Amino acid sequence: MKKLLILTLALLLATTGVLSLASCKQPEQETLILGFDATYPPFGYQAEDGSYTGFDIEYAKRVCDKLGMKLELKPIDWEAKDEMIKTGAIDCIWNGFTYEGRENDYTWTDRYLNNSIVVLVKSDAGITTVADLAGKAVAVQSDSSGEDALKKKTDLVASLKDGNYLTEPDYTTAFTKLEAGSFEAIVIDVGVANYLIEGKSGYTILEEEISKETYGVGFAKENTALRDKINTAMKEVAADTDFVKGLCEKYGINYSAFLLGK
């Protein structure tokens, strides 16, 4: 009888312990899977130590911290972005992502940054206006907002060398080829251009712009609940002007171009 009592108590204690552990188990942390082009400085790129960084990535980290979410960074092939967001491989595209021309393709947060598409040239190329690009070899990132803007300038495109422009997989590759003389100009986002030429002499951004646009964060069209959650937190983070100004200064972005919290 005594042995039976001891065994019963032991079973009760074991059961209580299992139930206690189960009741203490924390709910799984929600994860935001952020898709980005890892060759798109200063918004998202790979640092020398191998980590991913950039204006948008640091902003996203602050937003996720505020929401108690885990941030998973997923570098993507930019041309595959639409398929990845449709299949759920990523939750959002947050990477200097242009709203104009994609308004109906995604559900969007509020737009948070003004941007311009500009022309980057070597200072000694004899190119001072957009009209001077006639007969010149001009490159742009494939499937980018820069390419979309250039396509709309049909007369300009027709005037270029061979009546068309060249495409590169990313702007860092394009800039390397510009340095090497493979072509004479790049149509590019102004923030990316400023980052690429920082500390370098011999390059000029033309004053005349190709187009103006704005950046937002794009989610799958049906994913409005997650969009709303991120959008609210983005505005809350934007209210911390010291953080935003510091982020802009760190990545060479004009604070006056930032749209939220003003």
Side-chain angles (χ1 to χ4, degrees):
M1 177 65 73
K2 186 175 182 182
K3 287 183 179 180
L4 181 60
L5 181 60
I6 292 172
L7 180 59
T8 302
L9 287 171
L11 288 171
L12 285 171
L13 288 171
T15 303
T16 303
V18 169
L19 292 173
S20 178
L21 286 171
S23 65
C24 291
K25 186 178 179 180
Q26 297 298 315
E28 188 174 345
Q29 188 177 25
E30 187 178 3
T31 299
L32 178 72
I33 306 174
L34 186 154
F36 70 106
D37 177 355
T39 58
Y40 200 70
F43 300 101
Y45 61 99
Q46 192 165 26
E48 291 182 2
D49 64 1
S51 64
Y52 295 114
T53 189
F55 180 91
D56 284 341
I57 287 176
E58 287 202 37
Y59 193 0
K61 285 179 179 176
R62 181 62 70 95
V63 165
C64 285
D65 286 347
K66 178 171 282 291
L67 292 170
M69 296 178 70
K70 178 182 177 182
L71 178 64
E72 180 180 334
L73 300 173
K74 182 169 285 192
I76 62 173
D77 176 349
W78 194 243
E79 294 189 15
K81 61 186 179 300
D82 292 344
E83 185 64 23
M84 292 189 76
I85 206 161
K86 285 177 183 176
T87 60
I90 56 177
D91 292 319
C92 67
I93 302 169
W94 192 338
N95 186 213
F97 196 40
T98 300
Y99 170 83
E100 288 76 11
R102 300 183 176 113
E103 296 94 330
N104 300 317
D105 298 333
Y106 305 88
T107 185
W108 291 89
T109 64
D110 289 355
R111 286 165 280 172
Y112 63 92
L113 196 69
N114 278 322
N115 181 56
S116 298
I117 301 297
V118 296
V119 181
L120 175 63
V121 300
K122 286 186 175 180
S123 301
D124 60 2
I127 300 171
T128 57
T129 68
V130 170
D132 293 334
L133 295 175
K136 304 295 194 299
V138 177
V140 68
Q141 179 173 321
S142 176
D143 200 33
S144 66
S145 58
E147 183 176 15
D148 290 341
L150 194 53
K151 282 179 180 177
K152 294 174 183 176
K153 303 285 186 180
T154 53
D155 289 344
L156 172 60
V157 172
S159 76
L160 303 179
K161 183 179 179 181
D162 298 326
N164 209 343
Y165 54 83
L166 305 169
T167 59
E168 295 294 337
D170 56 75
Y171 280 128
T172 52
T173 300
F175 184 66
T176 299
K177 290 188 175 182
L178 178 68
E179 289 180 301
S182 299
F183 32 75
E184 290 136 305
I186 306 173
V187 173
I188 187 171
D189 297 62
V190 67
V192 181
N194 281 323
Y195 182 88
L196 291 172
I197 65 175
E198 184 180 5
K200 296 181 175 69
S201 60
Y203 296 93
T204 298
I205 297 172
L206 302 189
E207 290 186 12
E208 187 179 353
E209 299 170 340
I210 299 296
S211 70
K212 291 182 179 294
E213 58 186 33
T214 53
Y215 289 160
V217 183
F219 294 77
K221 294 186 75 171
E222 68 278 4
N223 201 0
T224 55
L226 182 57
R227 185 278 312 273
D228 290 347
K229 181 185 293 189
I230 297 298
N231 193 51
T232 298
M234 284 179 71
K235 291 188 283 188
E236 291 173 355
V237 170
D240 184 350
T241 55
D242 288 339
F243 169 74
V244 176
K245 286 179 178 178
L247 204 58
C248 288
E249 183 177 355
K250 180 177 180 179
Y251 291 104
I253 294 170
N254 191 332
Y255 175 69
S256 65
F258 192 77
L259 298 173
L260 296 179
K262 295 180 179 178

